[in-house]
């Protein structure tokens, strides 16, 4: 029953809608913000505190790898410390490693199992959580 604030960064509207439905089913009082690319995700984080970011790896304008790296380099604590869970359909091990090394707290492959995604999110939302 916590009112978490999530940010979903994905260029595909159907992916954003699906993730939003999963999150709001699990946490009905939560707020789900959306960004269509990495730059928009950075803009949202500048404007508003967020509890967890779901970051797609491949997006136009700015990819999730670059956006995550910039989040980790931000001077503002609430921004560079926000948990970031990467989501991608890319199974290339080198790409996945680049994504993880950008500063992710964990990565999940699409399509994801909703219960597994919610469990992973819960581990990141807890103070000692790390879903690596």
């Amino acid at each position: 029953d916590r009112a978490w604030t999530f940010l979903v960064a994905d260029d595909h509207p159907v992916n954003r809608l699906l993730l939003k439905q999963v999150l709001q089913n699990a946490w009905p009082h939560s707020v789900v913000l959306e960004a269509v690319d990495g730059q928009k995700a950075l803009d949202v984080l500048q404007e508003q505190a967020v509890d967890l970011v779901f970051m797609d790896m491949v997006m136009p304008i700015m990819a999730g790898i670059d956006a995550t790296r910039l989040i980790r380099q931000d001077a503002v604590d609430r921004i560079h410390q926000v948990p970031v869970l990467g989501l991608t359909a890319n199974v290339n091990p080198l790409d996945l490693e680049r994504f993880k090394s950008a500063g992710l707290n964990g990565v999940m492959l699409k399509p994801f199992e909703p219960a597994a995604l919610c469990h992973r999110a819960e581990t990141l939302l807890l103070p000692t959580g790390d879903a690596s």
Side-chain angles (χ1 to χ4, degrees):
D1 54 345
R2 283 287 306 264
W4 301 109
T5 299
F6 300 108
L7 172 57
V8 176
D10 195 305
D11 57 320
H12 293 288
V14 172
N15 291 346
R16 289 193 312 273
L17 179 63
L18 174 64
L19 190 48
K20 184 174 187 172
Q21 288 177 334
V22 167
L23 295 171
Q24 290 182 326
N25 285 342
W27 297 282
H29 303 291
S30 64
V31 174
V32 181
L33 306 171
E34 298 180 40
V36 297
D37 60 57
Q39 182 58 58
K40 295 275 191 278
L42 295 173
D43 294 344
V44 169
L45 289 171
Q46 291 294 329
E47 296 167 11
Q48 184 164 350
V50 169
D51 295 301
L52 177 59
V53 176
F54 294 90
M55 185 72 73
D56 185 28
M57 182 166 72
V58 179
M59 295 181 281
I61 314 294
M62 182 185 293
I65 293 172
D66 299 323
T68 302
R69 191 172 296 115
L70 289 170
I71 288 169
R72 294 299 176 231
Q73 294 170 356
D74 199 286
V76 179
D77 283 350
R78 72 168 176 80
I79 295 175
H80 76 251
Q81 293 175 357
V82 68
V84 180
L85 181 60
L87 298 174
T88 185
N90 185 335
V91 295
N92 179 307
L94 296 175
D95 291 340
L96 288 173
E97 189 50 45
R98 281 184 42 237
F99 198 18
K100 289 178 192 173
S101 66
L104 293 178
N105 296 86
V107 67
M108 290 187 72
L109 295 178
K110 297 178 194 174
F112 56 82
E113 173 61 42
L117 179 112
C118 290
H119 174 74
R120 203 77 172 271
E122 280 184 343
T123 64
L124 291 171
L125 292 165
L126 299 174
T128 57
D130 192 327
S132 299

